[in-house]
């Protein structure tokens, strides 16, 4: 028999345990507040470096809560966490490199 | 298994995988789902990085040069000026309201998905069914909203945009409505192309997610996972569904807000 160690069977057969949903709703409230805050920023700040930085920061925080809590990555072993995060850091590098490249194309034409 | 107690207990070297234990302490299926999601991350990143590159290579809107904002193919449009329509409220300018509603629908369907996973841990078949249905409903609502958004984008505004172009060596003025892959009333054609590619690719993911969710609901309702003794399939498809929500968070920021 395969050992399903990742499942916590805390119940006897036939008995259904009480739901543990506090952390889920807390994450939902955080995500909603951050999205509402993004809307506020969208209509109160003028376009510029500060506005873009706030949006990027909010997005990273939201991604942290979705991946960490909803996808449960925060509670996995370290090697899995790094196996996911490391490739994404290289994507950020690619993004920054090609944004600069785009700026050069604009200057060149 | 107790009969083999006379054999020596296997010695596990912690550094190498000898079989029998799960690498990274997750099951095969979940690990493969994570690796698939990483590869899918690269695909979406490629699309968003392309958006960034093309946007930076175009003229940005500058009030000092271009005056008051109007749609023009000379500069990249401001997203909130493009996405300002809401169903049933024709002619009223409500920037980003509809896309905000779509964002909340998707976040909420992610919540009902994680509630289904939690119910699966407790072997609560009825609760898994209930939350899977809510998740499917959220996904379908999102798809419907996106279909409306696309229809509006393709159809265009009532006024359209007048563009000047050279036809047979003569400057000709022409009004264009909406956008397709070669023409775009809101800005450079590349803006519309990227809109169709990025939101379309995401929408295809939502569609496949809804199909998978319906399959999981069906198999839950027929008691397959109850008989199997665990609801890990709900978790695996849940990972995919959260990923789709995660991608939307990035699309929302980099396509609609920035």
């Amino acid at each position: 028999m395969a050992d399903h160690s990742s499942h916590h069977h805390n119940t006897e057969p036939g008995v259904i345990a009480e739901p543990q949903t506090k952390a889920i709703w807390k994450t939902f409230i955080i995500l909603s507040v951050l999205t509402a805050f993004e809307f506020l920023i969208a209509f109160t700040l003028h376009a510029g470096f500060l506005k873009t930085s706030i949006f990027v920061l909010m997005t990273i925080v939201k991604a942290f809560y979705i991946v960490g809590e909803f996808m449960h990555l925060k509670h996995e072993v370290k090697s899995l966490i790094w196996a996911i995060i490391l490739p994404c850091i290289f994507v950020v590098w690619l993004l920054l490199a090609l944004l600069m490249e785009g700026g050069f194309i604009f200057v060149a034409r | 298994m107790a009969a083999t107690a006379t054999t020596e207990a296997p010695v596990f070297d912690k550094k190498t995988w000898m079989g029998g234990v799960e690498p990274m302490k997750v099951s095969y299926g979940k690990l493969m789902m994570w690796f698939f999601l990483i590869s899918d991350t690269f695909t979406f990143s490629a699309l968003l990085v392309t958006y960034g590159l093309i946007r930076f290579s175009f003229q940005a809107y500058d009030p000092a040069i271009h005056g008051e904002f109007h749609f023009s193919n000379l500069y990249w449009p401001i997203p909130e000026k493009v996405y300002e329509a809401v169903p049933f409220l024709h002619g009223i300018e409500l920037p980003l309201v509809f896309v905000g509603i779509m964002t909340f629908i998707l976040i909420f369907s992610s919540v009902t998905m994680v509630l289904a996973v939690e119910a699966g841990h407790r072997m609560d078949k009825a609760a898994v069914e209930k939350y899977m249905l809510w998740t499917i409903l959220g996904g379908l609502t999102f798809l419907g909203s996106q279909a409306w958004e696309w229809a509006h984008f393709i159809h265009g505004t009532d006024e359209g945009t007048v563009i000047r172009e050279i036809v047979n060596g003569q400057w000709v003025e022409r009004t264009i409505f909406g956008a397709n892959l070669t023409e775009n009333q809101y800005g450079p054609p590349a803006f519309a192309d990227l809109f169709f590619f990025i939101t379309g690719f995401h929408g295809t993911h939502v569609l496949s997610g809804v199909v998978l969710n319906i399959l999981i609901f069906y198999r839950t309702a027929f008691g397959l996972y109850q008989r199997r003794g665990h609801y890990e399939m709900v978790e695996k498809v849940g990972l995919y569904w959260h990923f789709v929500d995660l991608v939307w968070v990035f699309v929302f920021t980099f396509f609609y807000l920035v």
Side-chain angles (χ1 to χ4, degrees):
Chain A
M1 279 290 280
D3 175 28
H4 293 285
S5 52
S6 55
H7 301 277
H8 6 99
H9 289 283
N10 46 6
T11 52
E12 298 291 313
V15 182
I16 293 166
E18 283 296 303
Q20 303 284 326
T21 55
K22 225 173 129 185
I24 297 170
W25 290 113
K26 199 183 130 196
T27 311
F28 171 64
I29 288 166
I30 290 169
L31 290 174
S32 302
V33 167
L34 286 177
T35 308
F37 185 68
E38 279 185 328
F39 264 86
L40 191 73
I41 296 296
F43 297 115
T44 48
L45 276 185
H46 288 290
F49 180 72
L50 178 69
K51 192 176 179 180
T52 309
S53 325
I54 292 174
F55 281 148
V56 171
L57 187 74
M58 296 284 110
T59 306
I60 291 170
V61 174
K62 274 158 74 174
F64 171 80
Y65 277 103
I66 292 174
V67 179
E69 291 294 339
F70 285 177
M71 296 172 87
H72 211 254
L73 189 64
K74 218 169 108 185
H75 312 284
E76 304 288 359
V77 294
K78 259 190 194 141
S79 57
L80 179 56
I81 296 175
W82 282 109
I84 302 301
I85 291 177
L86 264 181
C88 296
I89 292 172
F90 286 100
V91 170
V92 175
W93 179 11
L94 178 72
L95 174 71
L96 292 176
L98 286 194
L99 285 184
M100 287 176 70
E101 202 65 29
F104 292 139
I105 292 171
F106 172 66
V107 173
R109 67 176 171 198
Chain B
M1 296 297 265
T4 58
T6 47
T7 54
E8 278 178 53
V11 182
F12 286 115
D13 178 357
K14 275 190 177 169
K15 286 196 188 71
T16 50
W17 184 42
M18 310 287 285
V21 288
E22 292 169 330
M24 294 173 170
K25 290 214 177 78
V26 282
S27 69
Y28 173 78
K30 266 207 252 176
L31 196 57
M32 291 305 118
M33 181 52 91
W34 272 112
F35 289 163
F36 165 68
L37 293 183
I38 264 290
S39 73
D40 225 12
T41 306
F42 295 154
T43 317
F44 275 110
S45 307
L47 285 170
L48 283 172
V49 168
T50 307
Y51 178 84
L53 173 92
I54 292 178
R55 184 180 181 159
F56 271 52
S57 69
F58 268 87
Q59 176 76 51
Y61 164 70
D62 186 348
I65 304 168
H66 305 109
E68 204 186 325
F69 183 84
H70 57 281
F71 293 137
S72 161
N73 53 9
L74 295 176
Y75 48 82
W76 207 256
I78 301 174
E80 66 183 61
K81 302 284 183 195
V82 179
Y83 310 104
E84 41 87 344
V86 174
F88 311 115
L89 297 171
H90 186 83
I92 304 170
E93 212 176 294
L94 297 162
L96 299 177
V97 166
F98 191 52
V99 71
I101 295 169
M102 285 167 69
T103 306
F104 270 104
I105 290 169
L106 211 55
I107 289 179
F108 200 76
S109 82
S110 221
V111 172
T112 54
M113 186 79 226
V114 79
L115 287 170
V117 171
E118 196 272 339
H121 283 151
R122 296 182 288 110
M123 300 298 288
D124 188 343
K125 179 167 165 265
V128 175
E129 284 173 31
K130 179 177 83 179
Y131 290 127
M132 285 312 292
L133 271 185
W134 277 111
T135 310
I136 292 164
L137 186 71
L140 288 176
T141 315
F142 182 86
L143 281 176
S145 310
Q146 204 167 40
W148 187 91
E149 173 115 329
W150 270 52
H152 179 79
F153 192 80
I154 294 167
H155 193 73
T157 58
D158 293 339
E159 307 82 37
T161 300
V162 180
I163 56 158
R164 295 185 76 219
E165 58 186 354
I166 296 176
V167 179
N168 299 327
Q170 298 244 306
W171 279 102
V172 181
E173 280 198 352
R174 189 162 63 90
T175 310
I176 51 173
F177 297 93
N180 54 40
L181 289 177
T182 51
E183 281 190 344
N184 178 8
Q185 79 157 85
Y186 310 102
F191 176 77
D193 296 347
L194 287 159
F195 172 81
F196 289 128
F197 271 94
I198 294 175
T199 64
F201 199 60
H202 177 264
T204 312
H205 275 73
V206 178
L207 178 66
S208 19
V210 168
V211 171
L212 288 172
N213 284 345
I214 290 172
L215 183 71
I216 295 298
F217 170 75
Y218 178 83
R219 298 177 98 183
T220 304
F222 277 83
L224 179 76
Y225 304 128
Q226 200 74 22
R227 268 180 273 136
R228 192 179 278 176
H230 60 87
Y231 280 80
E232 200 190 279
M233 275 314 289
V234 182
E235 275 181 68
K236 279 181 268 193
V237 173
L239 280 178
Y240 179 75
W241 190 252
H242 297 314
F243 174 76
V244 169
D245 178 31
L246 178 73
V247 169
W248 184 254
V249 165
F250 280 87
V251 171
F252 177 64
T253 302
F254 294 113
F255 212 96
Y256 292 92
L257 289 180
V258 175

